[in-house]
Amino acid sequence: QVQLVESGGGLVQAGDSLRLSCAPSERSLSNPLMGWFRQAPGKEREFVACSGRLRSSALYADSVKGRFTVSRDNAKNTLFLQMNDLKAEDTAVYYCAADEYFRVPLTDPKNWNHWGQGTQVTVSS
């Protein structure tokens, strides 16, 4: 498995913005599907957003639509998550995921093969 490295988490206030980044530790993945999940304490890991190579192929969870934007630098296989208007309920560990294959449903963490260690996002109300 390829290790993914996330960065950009932190402690912010409600209404603030954060930008997360994710990059693979090696360049062995070829044009992978990449996405973000999050896991709050005591809850299951849930899908946030994902992107194929084209911006038009982005998919979002209903809870973040209109506030979060996923983008990527295809040349570097780097994935970003711009999070605006953050809410207390967005507090979680955010994980980057990637896979060479398109397995449905994309919202199921079991269908993703490569993961990062996670970055904490805490939003105070």
Side-chain angles (χ1 to χ4, degrees):
Q1 290 189 352
V2 174
Q3 184 65 40
L4 304 172
V5 181
E6 304 101 334
S7 62
L11 172 63
V12 297
Q13 293 185 335
D16 285 352
S17 299
L18 275 177
R19 188 186 194 219
L20 305 183
S21 300
C22 167
S25 58
E26 57 186 88
R27 294 184 62 83
S28 59
L29 293 177
S30 176
N31 301 325
L33 183 67
M34 299 184 76
W36 293 97
F37 287 74
R38 66 187 182 185
Q39 188 166 16
K43 295 187 177 181
E44 294 186 350
R45 192 168 297 191
E46 65 172 3
F47 172 80
V48 175
C50 69
S51 174
R53 285 181 53 81
L54 302 177
R55 182 183 294 272
S56 60
S57 62
L59 178 69
Y60 296 93
D62 288 342
S63 58
V64 305
K65 278 182 182 177
R67 300 188 298 121
F68 291 11
T69 302
V70 64
S71 61
R72 59 190 287 167
D73 179 338
N74 289 324
K76 299 179 181 179
N77 276 347
T78 302
L79 185 72
F80 305 98
L81 184 68
Q82 178 66 42
M83 304 186 293
N84 298 329
D85 190 24
L86 283 160
K87 303 176 181 181
E89 51 263 42
D90 294 319
T91 295
V93 176
Y94 283 70
Y95 295 92
C96 179
D99 205 293
E100 302 92 327
Y101 300 102
F102 187 98
R103 285 182 268 254
V104 293
L106 292 171
T107 55
D108 189 340
K110 297 183 181 66
N111 289 330
W112 295 76
N113 192 34
H114 308 286
W115 291 90
Q117 293 299 310
T119 185
Q120 177 70 46
V121 172
T122 303
V123 184
S124 62
S125 56

